[in-house]
Amino acid sequence: MWRRRAKGWLIICIVCFMLLMGRLMQIQLFETETFSKHNVNLLEDSVQQRTQELVIDNGRGNFLDRNGTMLTHKKVSVLVLFPFLKKLDWDIKKVSDISGISEFALKNAVDSAKKPFAYGDPAPIELTPSQMERINALNIPGVFAIEKKFERANVPAEQLLGLTGENAAELKKRYPNKELSEKTLIGVSGLEESFDEFLLPEGKSKLVYHVDGGGAPLFGINVKYVDPANPFYPVNVRTTIDKTMQQKAEDLVDKYQIKKGGLVLLNIEDNSVLAMVSRPEVNKKDPYNGTGIANRMLKQQIMGSVFKTVVAAAAIDHNLDDPNRLFDCSKKINGKPELKYDYGMLNFTDSFARSCNRTFGELAKELQKIDPNLLEQYAEKLSLTGSVGWQGDVYHTSDFKQFDNEDKGRVFLSDEARKDPNFAAMSGIGQNEVRATPLAVANMMASIARGGKKESVRTVSKIEYKNGTTMVNFPEQPLKGDSISPYTAMKLQKLLREVVLNPNGTGRWFKELPYEVAGKSGTAETGKYEDGKQLHNKWFAGYFPYQNPKYALVTVNLDVTENEGGVNLLFADMVKMLSEQD
């Protein structure tokens, strides 16, 4: 009996021992980097327990402006101190003399430190090249002057560039075949998301030293520099943004209290984004929730009378722009008396300059009789209804899009509306179901300024390797689809200029600006109310200088009351700012 019991216990012990051995082998040999369902990297965790480190560069690729300036981050020459200095007799006076930081401040910072740190972080004191050289020449263990990468407190064009975050499940979903730490940052919006695969880090650059359980140096005071040492990565994504223009644009948007809206500024020559501002701003405390993360310049909006540019193009091509024909602008679009905007009898050109709804409602109905699809066809010719952002094949990615979350515009939602004269009339003045993104409206103005030539909009010109050589080029690219003729574009140019030159034009405020402006205003009823007041979308879209176009600009303020706006003042100040820079 006792032999059987002993044998049973022996078997149980052997089984337990085998299970223990199997578990140890799983931990030590087979799943060292992907342990458990959470894919814990045991090697990394064990190293972290016995080391302290200061990350100099997280290894993720960088965004540059068109001149090569870093946009989301900046590199700062800083003084780095290690906490083991509190246990050493180091020459604090010399470091103080060179850096200009008091001995008391340095000692206090080291005494309270538990990890290596850049002095003054998150607002570090920047050292000069001479100071860096002299500090490093002291050869004091645990004292370094290095160039460290910091995230900017205020990132320009934040919604356009986008945000990053940690998401282990999404990381695994996107890159199932890549071996990446679950703490790897990934893009969750904007260009950070569109270009995420290019921006993934090869590894971090960091200063490391080994410690015991109490945080004391384990192998002396030698600090190790760890770097992926790859001459090609991380890459730099060179955008077409001009950082100076972008910052001034953001300042002006805030000056005129645009709480929901913003602006788009395009370089007409190569059809690239120079500045893009979206409000509301990203909520720094909770960036991934709320409306601030959305880029409203890429979202479809009710555009109002700006759409009359499309109706005008169709009317010109179908000979409905007879200069001798007069429209009764003393009446509303429905035929009732117009008490507030009674302009009397106006011809086609004056109707456009003064933005007479009656004229363009009638023209839209006449165009519908010719062909119910005409308004949509001309909206497409002027790039309002499709995507306008650069897209194409890049490496193994087919149909890569720079603006991954760009909305498409529209004119009608149903065939019934398309064939209904009343819907056509309301659509002719940019109401009803007519929608377009501010980016598409800016592109329409750029196309007209170029004589009808349509191009895709770029916000990235190329991706560069770390050593400065080009990895991917994003060349100028024609926008697919039909376009308006040079003749029609010329006629539209004159109409848009008349908006400013006409003494009663809706753009007469821009007549005395340093650049000659051509453009179109828009005020759209949104169907929303606040305190019983109808809310509007206020627009001004145009280009300048008129004779030699360089810039297309759209300013928009969304969901404001009739007496609010700011878009004209914002547009005017942007023109002044650009004239001063040129």
Side-chain angles (χ1 to χ4, degrees):
M1 176 67 72
W2 68 270
R3 287 184 177 177
R4 273 185 294 182
R5 286 181 179 175
K7 190 174 183 180
W9 278 109
L10 182 61
I11 291 172
I12 291 172
C13 289
I14 291 172
V15 170
C16 290
F17 179 74
M18 294 299 292
L19 289 172
L20 180 60
M21 286 295 294
R23 186 64 164 170
L24 288 171
M25 291 175 70
Q26 179 189 16
I27 294 172
Q28 297 285 345
L29 300 176
F30 305 130
E31 296 184 11
T32 54
E33 297 182 20
T34 56
F35 179 69
S36 83
K37 63 181 181 180
H38 300 294
N39 292 318
V40 177
N41 191 319
L42 297 173
L43 294 178
E44 282 188 0
D45 284 3
S46 66
V47 169
Q48 286 180 3
Q49 288 180 355
R50 52 190 172 81
T51 62
Q52 287 190 356
E53 63 183 45
L54 177 74
V55 175
I56 299 169
D57 190 324
N58 64 9
R60 186 171 173 84
N62 306 299
F63 285 102
L64 311 179
D65 86 337
R66 68 195 298 114
N67 300 311
T69 302
M70 294 177 73
L71 290 171
T72 56
H73 292 77
K74 59 182 178 179
K75 289 188 175 180
V76 182
S77 300
V78 295
L79 175 66
V80 171
L81 302 170
F82 279 69
F84 61 68
L85 285 166
K86 68 185 74 173
K87 302 178 184 294
L88 302 178
D89 182 18
W90 57 291
D91 200 337
I92 192 171
K93 186 178 186 308
K94 284 186 179 179
V95 176
S96 173
D97 290 342
I98 296 171
S99 66
I101 305 167
S102 72
E103 291 183 44
F104 174 80
L106 289 171
K107 185 177 185 307
N108 191 52
V110 169
D111 288 346
S112 59
K114 295 182 180 179
K115 296 180 180 179
F117 65 98
Y119 185 84
D121 192 11
I125 295 175
E126 187 164 4
L127 302 175
T128 65
S130 172
Q131 287 174 314
M132 289 182 69
E133 185 178 349
R134 290 161 63 197
I135 287 171
N136 287 330
L138 296 174
N139 290 318
I140 300 174
V143 178
F144 302 92
I146 61 167
E147 192 175 60
K148 185 178 184 301
K149 181 173 158 183
F150 291 88
E151 185 175 356
R152 291 186 185 276
N154 296 301
V155 176
E158 193 160 21
Q159 290 95 338
L160 173 62
L161 296 176
L163 304 177
T164 59
E166 292 180 11
N167 187 325
E170 179 63 21
L171 180 70
K172 191 72 176 175
K173 179 182 174 183
R174 283 189 199 177
Y175 310 111
N177 301 318
K178 287 183 180 286
E179 293 185 7
L180 297 167
S181 165
E182 63 178 8
K183 297 184 182 296
T184 300
L185 290 175
I186 57 173
V188 297
S189 68
L191 299 182
E192 290 278 14
E193 184 176 12
S194 300
F195 288 83
D196 190 52
E197 189 170 2
F198 297 101
L199 297 167
L200 288 174
E202 290 282 304
K204 298 176 181 178
S205 299
K206 52 193 176 182
L207 295 174
V208 179
Y209 83 112
H210 295 268
V211 294
D212 60 21
L218 193 60
F219 302 120
I221 51 178
N222 292 324
V223 174
K224 183 179 179 183
Y225 175 67
V226 178
D227 184 75
N230 190 322
F232 299 106
Y233 293 91
V235 300
N236 291 315
V237 176
R238 187 176 288 262
T239 71
T240 61
I241 294 291
D242 184 299
K243 185 174 178 291
T244 301
M245 291 182 187
Q246 176 69 35
Q247 190 56 63
K248 290 182 178 178
E250 295 196 18
D251 292 343
L252 288 172
V253 166
D254 293 335
K255 175 183 176 181
Y256 292 110
Q257 300 180 5
I258 309 294
K259 295 175 182 174
K260 186 179 179 183
L263 65 79
V264 178
L265 177 67
L266 299 184
N267 180 352
I268 290 176
E269 183 180 2
D270 61 5
N271 219 48
S272 61
V273 177
L274 289 169
M276 182 180 288
V277 183
S278 177
R279 293 289 183 267
E281 292 182 280
V282 176
N283 182 352
K284 303 290 186 185
K285 295 180 181 178
D286 191 9
Y288 304 108
N289 292 320
T291 56
I293 194 173
N295 188 345
R296 296 191 180 277
M297 300 303 99
L298 303 180
K299 299 301 175 186
Q300 56 174 228
Q301 315 290 350
I302 305 172
M303 58 191 300
S305 295
V306 175
F307 190 74
K308 290 172 184 173
T309 310
V310 173
V311 181
I316 290 166
D317 283 358
H318 291 82
N319 300 313
L320 300 179
D321 61 333
D322 183 351
N324 296 316
R325 179 184 176 184
L326 296 179
F327 298 86
D328 190 356
C329 292
S330 64
K331 294 180 180 179
K332 292 184 178 181
I333 200 168
N334 59 9
K336 293 181 180 180
E338 175 60 81
L339 301 177
K340 188 172 184 180
Y341 302 108
D342 182 358
Y343 301 141
M345 304 301 290
L346 296 179
N347 63 19
F348 177 75
T349 300
D350 288 341
S351 291
F352 189 85
R354 302 193 69 175
S355 204
C356 171
N357 286 341
R358 175 75 175 180
T359 300
F360 287 89
E362 287 188 18
L363 289 171
K365 288 194 285 187
E366 291 172 22
L367 290 165
Q368 184 212 41
K369 286 182 181 179
I370 298 170
D371 183 344
N373 299 306
L374 275 179
L375 286 182
E376 288 170 309
Q377 289 173 6
Y378 275 82
E380 192 277 331
K381 285 183 178 184
L382 286 164
S383 75
L384 291 185
T385 54
S387 299
V388 301
W390 194 101
Q391 53 187 302
D393 296 341
V394 178
Y395 283 152
H396 57 278
T397 305
S398 60
D399 200 27
F400 176 85
K401 296 178 181 178
Q402 290 194 3
F403 300 100
D404 198 32
N405 298 309
E406 177 194 1
D407 282 354
K408 293 181 180 180
R410 67 174 191 246
V411 180
F412 297 107
L413 281 179
S414 67
D415 200 45
E416 290 77 15
R418 194 174 288 110
K419 294 176 181 178
D420 187 308
N422 293 320
F423 277 126
M426 290 299 293
S427 300
I429 63 169
Q431 290 287 166
N432 200 37
E433 293 299 337
V434 177
R435 304 284 189 277
T437 67
L439 178 67
V441 173
N443 196 48
M444 174 178 73
M445 289 297 166
S447 298
I448 293 170
R450 281 193 298 266
K453 183 182 177 185
K454 290 197 322 186
E455 290 187 8
S456 298
V457 180
R458 295 182 304 162
T459 193
V460 170
S461 58
K462 60 182 175 178
I463 302 174
E464 302 170 338
Y465 287 116
K466 182 180 178 181
N467 62 9
T469 59
T470 299
M471 177 186 187
V472 180
N473 257 319
F474 296 94
E476 294 178 49
Q477 180 188 77
L479 195 59
K480 294 178 182 178
D482 294 334
S483 58
I484 59 173
S485 69
Y487 172 79
T488 306
M490 179 192 68
K491 297 276 277 186
L492 289 177
Q493 290 169 3
K494 291 180 178 179
L495 287 174
L496 293 168
R497 180 60 178 153
E498 188 62 25
V499 169
V500 176
L501 293 179
N502 191 301
N504 296 307
T506 56
R508 58 188 179 276
W509 331 103
F510 307 126
K511 189 176 180 180
E512 303 302 324
L513 291 177
Y515 279 147
E516 293 182 332
V517 171
K520 183 73 187 78
S521 63
T523 301
E525 294 182 354
T526 64
K528 301 175 186 176
Y529 290 85
E530 188 176 276
D531 298 328
K533 296 180 180 179
Q534 169 74 60
L535 298 182
H536 301 80
N537 289 346
K538 300 285 188 77
W539 298 72
F540 198 86
Y543 68 89
F544 49 91
Y546 177 65
Q547 297 294 344
N548 185 25
K550 293 179 66 175
Y551 306 106
L553 175 63
V554 169
T555 56
V556 58
N557 201 358
L558 304 170
D559 293 332
V560 292
T561 59
E562 188 174 15
N563 295 327
E564 293 179 274
V567 293
N568 286 345
L569 293 170
L570 174 59
F571 192 101
D573 277 3
M574 282 293 295
V575 174
K576 292 174 185 174
M577 179 269 289
L578 292 165
S579 71
E580 290 169 0
Q581 284 203 188
D582 287 347

